[in-house]
Amino acid sequence: MTIKVCCLCNRVERSGIWRYSNRFVEGAVVSHGYCPQCFQETMAEIEKMFAPDLDGSSLQLHHGGCGECV
């Protein structure tokens, strides 16, 4: 048996329903991913990062650490 756990909110999926739980089945395999709510929130944040700026250009992400990238 595989148990899915949300990597952000730690809700557990059982029979298609995500809820908070601290009980696991002994011997079960735990798999991490996103619950539907956290997935939607994460995708919205990603879309904001790559949305065009007010001037119409795309946002460019720089880490600003090395001379090769700046």
Side-chain angles (χ1 to χ4, degrees):
M1 169 183 239
T2 301
I3 297 174
K4 294 184 230 172
V5 179
C6 180
C7 60
L8 296 178
C9 70
N10 294 317
R11 282 185 275 196
V12 177
E13 187 268 333
R14 298 212 181 176
S15 302
I17 299 171
W18 290 83
R19 54 179 78 140
Y20 293 102
S21 175
N22 60 359
R23 295 189 292 164
F24 292 97
V25 176
E26 187 173 327
V29 175
V30 177
S31 175
H32 286 82
Y34 291 88
C35 71
Q37 181 179 345
C38 289
F39 179 79
Q40 290 297 323
E41 292 171 5
T42 301
M43 292 308 295
E45 289 297 317
I46 290 171
E47 287 177 14
K48 283 182 194 175
M49 287 188 336
F50 292 102
D53 288 338
L54 295 177
D55 65 0
S57 64
S58 294
L59 175 67
Q60 298 206 1
L61 302 176
H62 299 282
H63 67 79
C66 67
E68 293 177 21
C69 298
V70 181

